[in-house]
Amino acid sequence: MRTSTLLAVASAPLMALAAPVPLTFETILKRQGTSKFCERITPAPTPEETEKRFNEFADLFLVQKDVYKAFEYILPEYINHNPLAQNGAQNALDLLAPIWGSQQITVLRTKFEGEMSWLNYKNSMGEIVDRYRWDSGCIIEHWDQGEQFPTS
């Protein structure tokens, strides 16, 4: 009896640590990481400023693999033209966040032209070309099915 009482008293602090944490919005964000999605810039940035933002996004996404910081360049109402993915920045973040940091990524090339940009890279899924449309300094649309890197 003394042993079980002693074990109960000694393990009480450990049991408190194992108790479930109330599932609040803040708790979920701490567990998953956070991203503040992009807000349109007014007045709209110049093409040169948008290209600078694209280069920052590409570095965060492919080199630093910081998907949360990269998604600060994506509008919440982001349109994903991949038929297997849902629209919305949060849906894309929820899909990529658990796996992106562990990806082995080789950047092949990038390009920005007008309101469009391309990322061409290799990872565990093979060679990928992502195309993005920018609006007011933010990514609003994404394509990755059958995309070709532009030759000109």
Side-chain angles (χ1 to χ4, degrees):
M1 177 99 163
R2 284 183 139 192
T3 305
S4 61
T5 303
L6 183 60
L7 282 173
V9 170
S11 64
L14 295 174
M15 296 303 274
L17 291 174
V21 176
L23 214 53
T24 64
F25 181 69
E26 290 78 22
T27 304
I28 292 169
L29 289 179
K30 285 179 185 172
R31 286 184 183 170
Q32 295 181 344
T34 60
S35 186
K36 176 183 165 279
F37 299 119
C38 196
E39 294 180 19
R40 285 182 170 85
I41 299 170
T42 305
T46 66
E48 294 79 19
E49 292 167 330
T50 303
E51 184 173 9
K52 180 179 183 283
R53 291 178 58 77
F54 161 67
N55 289 328
E56 292 166 352
F57 165 76
D59 179 64
L60 288 165
F61 192 59
L62 297 178
V63 178
Q64 296 182 41
K65 296 188 278 185
D66 187 338
V67 70
Y68 298 104
K69 290 276 188 198
F71 268 65
E72 292 177 7
Y73 291 85
I74 298 177
L75 286 166
E77 63 269 25
Y78 157 90
I79 300 164
N80 194 336
H81 292 279
N82 183 324
L84 302 176
Q86 295 180 347
N87 289 333
Q90 189 63 56
N91 290 323
L93 182 62
D94 291 346
L95 181 70
L96 292 175
I99 63 166
W100 201 251
S102 64
Q103 292 290 305
Q104 297 297 319
I105 296 173
T106 302
V107 180
L108 302 175
R109 53 197 168 167
T110 66
K111 181 173 180 148
F112 181 86
E113 185 176 298
E115 63 180 21
M116 303 301 283
S117 65
W118 292 263
L119 300 176
N120 184 203
Y121 57 97
K122 287 185 182 179
N123 68 7
S124 62
M125 295 176 260
E127 186 172 335
I128 296 172
V129 175
D130 284 320
R131 178 169 54 115
Y132 301 95
R133 184 172 72 83
W134 291 75
D135 179 37
S136 301
C138 303
I139 294 171
I140 182 62
E141 287 185 85
H142 168 250
W143 295 261
D144 65 359
Q145 295 294 298
E147 287 299 311
Q148 300 292 315
F149 197 85
T151 56
S152 60

